Amino acid sequence: MFYIRNHFPYPVVDIRTWELSIEGCVNRRIKFQYHDLLQMPQVSLPVTLECVGNKRALFHPKVRGEQWELGAISHAVWTGVRLMDLLYSAGIQMHAREVIFEGMDKGGRTDRPGVFSYARSLPLDQSLNPHTLVALYMYGKPLPFRHGYPARLIVPGWFGMASVKWLHRLVVTEEPFQGPFQVVDYVYNRNPLVPSESPEPVTTIRLDSTIARPTDQEALAKGDHWVVGTAISGEDPVVLVEISTDNGTTWLPVSWLDPQEPYSWRRWCWKWTVTSSGTYDVKVRATDAAGHIQPERADWNEKGYGYNAIQHIRVYVD
Ligand SMILES: Nc1nc2c(c(=O)[nH]1)N[C@H]1C(S)=C(S)[C@@H](COP(=O)(O)O)O[C@H]1N2
Ligand SMILES: [Mo]
């Protein structure tokens, strides 16, 4: 039960010949084989991945792209080597600014000719963050092929596009990377009529909360119901989630099912005792440690990224 999002058909991977190479602004080019990585010190970290297109279907006006509803977010414990350890063994040169991560999958695009690999870059500071992993295991088992076997990047706190799957090449560079998945996709373009010269890149996960149950338009019987869901933020931790069953007039705090952990969603529950029948407009909103609260309306952008408006569902009690 983990969402899957791919830009291209699956690549062909032969573990006997697979290598992870590091080149560019490094003192020595290195190639790691799979068993080299398995023998290095391993780190485990629970990290929730969220596609920045999660909830795209909720934008008004609608935007092109996969019409994700609430499901493009999942959680796992990832185990692998620190990216930092790999970069240090290659030796980073003084003038290095970014690291480009290339996946083995490639294909065409509708907006320009040519064949492109799925490739993204990260600033050097984020690449050297001890929590940025080259993951080899998911929940203690070798990465499933669909999730990037043999190795994928895990960039905690960032939207999913940063966590490149089927990793095979790292290039340390001094120039900002200009690949299409860096500068055409995964930028917030708020006015498609006036393309910005330096649009804001998509980076960390936005503050958001979601009701998993009940679902929108569900019919319930009178009595007790558990409203359950999740909340997440890639920056300041979520400190409060509140529910309203009267369309946002009054709000009540939920109870936590998970502790606060830096890169994980926090599941919550709220016991709802319904005594009278009727139509209920149920809302959920999260607040983070810096006092930010989710917006009433989502920040519309051309590609439908980062939807995080206060969720509103309607349920009927018979
Ligand atoms: N090589 C490669 N890595 C990739 C992608 C891809 O298409 N190819 N998609 C990215 C996007 S947009 C997301 S949201 C996550 C999804 O990871 P998952 O399929 O394991 O859930 O992978 C990212 N890494
Ligand atoms: Mo994504």
Side-chain angles (χ1 to χ4, degrees), residues 58 69-70 211-219 280-282 311-316:
L58 307 183
E69 295 182 350
L70 311 179
I211 301 170
R213 282 201 310 272
T215 54
D216 189 30
Q217 308 299 320
E218 191 170 333
Y280 290 86
D281 285 287
V282 180
Q311 190 193 358
H312 172 190
I313 63 169
R314 181 167 282 177
V315 297
Y316 306 93

Side-chain angles (χ1 to χ4, degrees), residues 2-5 7 105 118 147 152 160 163 165-166 186:
F2 200 107
Y3 84 94
I4 289 173
R5 199 287 183 237
H7 294 73
D105 50 334
Y118 185 81
H147 295 296
R152 80 175 297 169
S163 295
K165 302 191 276 189
W166 308 294
Y186 304 117

Side-chain angles (χ1 to χ4, degrees), residues 2-8 49-53 72 74 78 102-105 118-119 138 146-148 152 159-167 181 186:
F2 200 107
Y3 84 94
I4 289 173
R5 199 287 183 237
N6 300 323
H7 294 73
F8 297 127
L49 281 194
E50 179 176 17
C51 180
V52 72
S74 308
W78 309 90
E102 192 182 87
M104 299 170 75
D105 50 334
Y118 185 81
M138 186 179 183
R146 291 184 170 88
H147 295 296
R152 80 175 297 169
F159 278 116
M161 77 284 146
S163 295
V164 178
K165 302 191 276 189
W166 308 294
L167 201 57
F181 300 101
Y186 304 117

Side-chain angles (χ1 to χ4, degrees), residues 53-131:
N54 193 25
K55 304 193 178 180
R56 180 180 286 132
L58 307 183
F59 271 106
H60 291 290
K62 287 189 93 66
V63 287
R64 55 192 275 180
E66 291 181 300
Q67 296 299 301
W68 291 103
E69 295 182 350
L70 311 179
I73 181 168
S74 308
H75 182 83
V77 177
W78 309 90
T79 302
V81 299
R82 292 190 159 107
L83 174 61
M84 181 180 93
D85 292 347
L86 299 178
L87 292 172
Y88 285 151
S89 58
I92 301 161
Q93 294 177 342
M94 284 294 290
H95 49 282
R97 298 275 297 282
E98 293 191 350
V99 183
I100 302 170
F101 302 89
E102 192 182 87
M104 299 170 75
D105 50 334
K106 51 170 110 109
R109 291 178 58 99
T110 54
D111 59 354
R112 48 176 69 183
V115 173
F116 301 90
S117 296
Y118 185 81
R120 296 260 321 161
S121 76
L122 269 187
L124 199 58
D125 61 343
Q126 186 61 43
S127 303
L128 296 177
N129 181 316
H131 294 154

Side-chain angles (χ1 to χ4, degrees), residues 61-316:
K62 287 189 93 66
V63 287
R64 55 192 275 180
E66 291 181 300
Q67 296 299 301
W68 291 103
E69 295 182 350
L70 311 179
I73 181 168
S74 308
H75 182 83
V77 177
W78 309 90
T79 302
V81 299
R82 292 190 159 107
L83 174 61
M84 181 180 93
D85 292 347
L86 299 178
L87 292 172
Y88 285 151
S89 58
I92 301 161
Q93 294 177 342
M94 284 294 290
H95 49 282
R97 298 275 297 282
E98 293 191 350
V99 183
I100 302 170
F101 302 89
E102 192 182 87
M104 299 170 75
D105 50 334
K106 51 170 110 109
R109 291 178 58 99
T110 54
D111 59 354
R112 48 176 69 183
V115 173
F116 301 90
S117 296
Y118 185 81
R120 296 260 321 161
S121 76
L122 269 187
L124 199 58
D125 61 343
Q126 186 61 43
S127 303
L128 296 177
N129 181 316
H131 294 154
T132 302
L133 303 183
V134 171
L136 307 168
Y137 302 90
M138 186 179 183
Y139 278 129
K141 293 187 193 142
L143 272 184
F145 180 60
R146 291 184 170 88
H147 295 296
Y149 176 85
R152 80 175 297 169
L153 199 62
I154 288 291
V155 186
W158 283 50
F159 278 116
M161 77 284 146
S163 295
V164 178
K165 302 191 276 189
W166 308 294
L167 201 57
H168 73 152
R169 199 159 80 102
L170 274 54
V171 186
V172 181
T173 58
E174 43 185 331
E175 299 296 333
F177 180 53
Q178 300 292 326
F181 300 101
Q182 195 76 25
V183 299
V184 181
D185 298 333
Y186 304 117
V187 296
Y188 293 110
N189 200 351
R190 293 180 174 89
N191 186 347
L193 299 177
V194 189
S196 157
E197 283 192 1
S198 52
E200 186 197 332
V202 173
T203 57
T204 52
I205 295 177
R206 285 181 172 172
L207 176 66
D208 195 21
S209 58
T210 302
I211 301 170
R213 282 201 310 272
T215 54
D216 189 30
Q217 308 299 320
E218 191 170 333
L220 300 174
K222 266 183 249 176
D224 287 347
H225 296 282
W226 286 102
V227 180
V228 296
T230 60
I232 192 161
S233 163
E235 292 192 350
D236 300 293
V238 177
V239 293
L240 176 67
V241 168
E242 296 162 293
I243 293 275
S244 171
T245 55
D246 56 10
N247 201 22
T249 308
T250 53
W251 295 90
L252 287 163
V254 301
S255 307
W256 296 115
L257 294 170
D258 291 320
Q260 190 190 90
E261 287 212 65
Y263 309 117
S264 300
W265 65 16
R266 257 185 120 174
R267 290 170 296 177
W268 50 262
C269 66
W270 187 77
K271 191 175 175 183
W272 185 22
T273 304
V274 205
T275 50
S276 41
S277 51
T279 300
Y280 290 86
D281 285 287
V282 180
K283 293 187 169 180
V284 65
R285 68 179 186 193
T287 303
D288 72 17
H292 303 118
I293 188 158
Q294 285 176 247
E296 294 282 345
R297 280 186 63 83
D299 167 30
W300 191 94
N301 58 91
E302 193 184 8
K303 300 227 174 185
Y305 294 144
Y307 185 100
N308 73 335
I310 293 172
Q311 190 193 358
H312 172 190
I313 63 169
R314 181 167 282 177
V315 297
Y316 306 93

